[in-house]
């Protein structure tokens, strides 16, 4: 793939992060309902909201706020429309009853297997590398492309490469 300017790479990374920033409040019609969504995030926020995702309140989406693994799991499950009723229990001992249906559905879909066999670490912030893996797995992205990122360790290299290949 041809070299992409830093501004493009930053946009892609920011859009992916903005896409997964939300928690479980009532869904709103569009990004226009949120007072904190900049124009550069509007399309991404409109997409996730159209799929049933929510903001952090009725009037805020919080695109610049960090997100926990548990909230990222809930958002991805909402966007993908996974069944939270039929997924078997996750088996993670550190997941509360609010988080369990989302994390169980994410595990059932094969998107993540947790931090260990018995822990998910739902209250930790998700890393960009972990999120890259979840997005690639959740959207079944294929492909491989070189990238100019010098800080991607081996664990995340394939996922980052697939994201770059899929723009």
């Amino acid at each position: 793939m041809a070299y992409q300017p830093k501004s493009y790479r930053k946009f892609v990374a920011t859009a992916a992060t903005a896409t997964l920033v939300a928690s479980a409040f009532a869904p709103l019609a569009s990004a226009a309902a949120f007072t904190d969504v900049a124009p550069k995030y509007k399309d991404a926020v409109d997409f996730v909201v159209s799929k049933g995702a929510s903001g952090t309140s009725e009037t805020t989406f919080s695109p610049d706020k960090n997100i926990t693994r548990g909230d990222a799991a809930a958002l991805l499950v909402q966007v993908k429309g996974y069944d939270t009723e039929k997924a078997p229990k996750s088996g993670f001992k550190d997941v509360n009853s609010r988080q369990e249906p989302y994390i169980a559905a994410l595990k059932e879909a094969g998107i993540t297997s947790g931090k260990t066999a018995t822990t998910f670490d739902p209250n930790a912030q998700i890393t960009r590398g972990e999120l890259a893996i979840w997005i690639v797995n959740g959207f079944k992205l294929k492909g491989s492309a070189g990238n100019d990122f010098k800080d991607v360790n081996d664990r995340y290299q394939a996922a980052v490469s697939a994201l770059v290949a899929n723009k």
Side-chain angles (χ1 to χ4, degrees), residues 47-69:
F47 171 75
V48 296
V49 169
S50 77
K51 298 294 185 182
S54 312
T56 54
S57 79
E58 289 186 16
T59 59
T60 59
F61 190 80
S62 303
D64 296 321
K65 183 179 175 186
N66 292 333
I67 187 168
T68 65
R69 290 172 50 83

Side-chain angles (χ1 to χ4, degrees), residues 1 136 142-147 152 156-166:
M1 174 174 203
V136 167
K142 303 287 184 210
S144 179
N147 65 69
V152 179
Y156 307 121
Q157 195 60 249
V160 171
S161 180
L163 286 175
V164 171
N166 286 275

Side-chain angles (χ1 to χ4, degrees), residues 15-166:
T17 301
T19 299
L20 289 175
V21 175
S23 60
F25 292 95
L28 298 170
S30 74
F34 298 115
T35 59
D36 62 347
V37 176
K40 66 182 177 181
Y41 300 130
K42 183 184 178 314
D43 290 343
V45 172
D46 279 343
F47 171 75
V48 296
V49 169
S50 77
K51 298 294 185 182
S54 312
T56 54
S57 79
E58 289 186 16
T59 59
T60 59
F61 190 80
S62 303
D64 296 321
K65 183 179 175 186
N66 292 333
I67 187 168
T68 65
R69 290 172 50 83
D71 286 340
L75 185 56
L76 185 55
V77 166
Q78 291 167 345
V79 168
K80 291 297 296 175
Y82 293 135
D83 189 341
T84 58
E85 304 274 329
K86 293 182 181 173
K89 296 285 186 191
S90 70
F92 298 125
K93 298 183 183 324
D94 60 348
V95 174
N96 67 39
S97 60
R98 179 188 69 84
Q99 301 161 330
E100 174 62 29
Y102 299 107
I103 294 168
L106 203 68
K107 183 178 178 185
E108 175 72 7
I111 292 173
T112 186
S113 56
K115 290 282 190 165
T116 71
T118 58
T119 62
F120 184 81
D121 203 8
N123 299 316
Q125 292 179 0
I126 192 166
T127 68
R128 293 170 62 88
E130 291 168 332
L131 187 56
I133 290 172
W134 289 14
I135 291 170
V136 167
N137 290 345
F139 290 93
K140 296 180 177 25
L141 300 179
K142 303 287 184 210
S144 179
N147 65 69
D148 294 327
F149 304 117
K150 304 295 184 214
D151 61 344
V152 179
N153 73 37
D154 291 343
R155 178 175 178 221
Y156 307 121
Q157 195 60 249
V160 171
S161 180
L163 286 175
V164 171
N166 286 275

